[in-house]
Amino acid sequence: MYAVAIDGPAGAGKSTISRAAAKAIGFLYVDTGALYRAVAYDILQNQIDPTDQKAVCGRLSAIEVHFGYEGSEQQVYLNQENVTDKLRTPQVSAAASSVSAIGAVRQFLFSQQQDIARENNIIMDGRDIGTFVLPNAQVKIYLTATAEERARRRFEELRQKGETVDFQHVLADLKKRDENDMNRDVSPLRQAPDAIVVDTSQMDFAQSVQAILKIIEKKIGQGKK
């Protein structure tokens, strides 16, 4: 089985770019961030402070989260409920950043991520895929862009969903999440030594996908279907 690990900061376009690249070469796309968002969503729904490690850990035994697929589209199920469309709000994003810093949460989801990789050709994205979850992946990419460009993309995404947002607040939240992700004690966000950096600040979506596909093809010879 082949594994492509794509890491990078919030708002770098990992999910949309990885999904398109996976579809182009017939690989399964795995958005690990969605697992953490599902846990965060459950924590918020149960009125638990996502920074309260003891309370979060105490809730884990009541959480069942897993992936399903409709065609090639990933769906996220929380306690048998499809919550895919509820996981991209700023509140859930902030809570996900907090719960993902808890070692017990990462261990709770770790084996599931590795099981998927053992059974499928995959493109998996997240914060610690190349450094921790899939350290032996044949292809490792660190996908990034400037903070301002990432905030602009997130701002437009939220506006298109009908949410009222302020760009400066989006930028501040993104920078705070970067700081949290890069400085957490457990599996911090960092570039794997053997990862190839792809900066999409000056690329549109199609160019970004092609850049990823070019690297994959060079590394493991997987071209378009």
Side-chain angles (χ1 to χ4, degrees):
M1 293 298 175
Y2 291 114
V4 179
I6 299 183
D7 293 306
K14 296 187 301 297
S15 297
T16 52
I17 293 169
S18 298
R19 182 183 293 109
K23 184 176 182 180
I25 60 175
F27 278 27
L28 193 67
Y29 166 61
V30 183
D31 173 11
T32 63
L35 293 172
Y36 292 97
R37 287 172 178 272
V39 172
Y41 177 77
D42 180 272
I43 294 300
L44 292 176
Q45 289 295 105
N46 285 278
Q47 300 182 329
I48 296 172
D49 181 352
T51 66
D52 185 337
Q53 294 194 23
K54 184 177 181 179
V56 171
C57 292
R59 175 65 189 170
L60 290 179
S61 62
I63 295 175
E64 179 187 345
V65 57
H66 68 275
F67 287 137
Y69 289 88
E70 294 181 2
S72 60
E73 290 298 313
Q74 176 182 284
Q75 305 295 313
V76 185
Y77 293 86
L78 172 66
N79 296 334
Q80 308 305 314
E81 176 190 358
N82 189 332
V83 295
T84 307
D85 295 334
K86 301 177 181 179
L87 304 181
R88 302 293 297 183
T89 67
Q91 293 78 14
V92 172
S93 295
S97 183
S98 295
V99 301
S100 66
I102 300 173
V105 174
R106 303 199 74 83
Q107 192 60 44
F108 175 67
L109 299 173
F110 176 71
S111 59
Q112 182 173 0
Q113 297 169 47
Q114 289 205 319
D115 287 345
I116 296 172
R118 275 193 291 267
E119 298 169 1
N120 303 276
N121 292 321
I122 62 164
I123 294 182
M124 182 180 289
D125 78 74
R127 299 290 191 280
D128 62 348
I129 307 306
T131 56
F132 181 66
V133 179
L134 301 176
N136 297 318
Q138 292 91 342
V139 183
K140 297 180 184 179
I141 295 169
Y142 190 82
L143 190 68
T144 189
T146 64
E148 289 72 20
E149 176 60 19
R150 289 184 285 122
R152 184 193 67 77
R153 294 171 184 172
R154 181 60 55 84
F155 175 73
E156 291 299 331
E157 177 186 0
L158 294 171
R159 285 187 62 191
Q160 289 175 10
K161 291 182 178 179
E163 297 187 28
T164 301
V165 288
D166 175 79
F167 175 78
Q168 292 302 324
H169 287 166
V170 174
L171 178 60
D173 287 345
L174 184 143
K175 287 182 176 179
K176 181 178 180 181
R177 185 167 187 189
D178 284 351
E179 182 178 358
N180 291 341
D181 289 344
M182 292 176 179
N183 293 290
R184 67 190 181 206
D185 293 332
V186 180
S187 296
L189 168 65
R190 66 179 186 274
Q191 177 190 337
D194 52 345
I196 298 172
V197 177
V198 176
D199 188 324
T200 66
S201 300
Q202 303 300 319
M203 299 181 189
D204 61 22
F205 176 72
Q207 290 170 331
S208 300
V209 174
Q210 286 304 311
I212 298 301
L213 290 174
K214 185 176 180 179
I215 293 170
I216 295 172
E217 184 171 8
K218 182 177 181 180
K219 287 282 188 178
I220 59 178
Q222 295 293 318
K224 291 184 178 180
K225 291 188 298 180

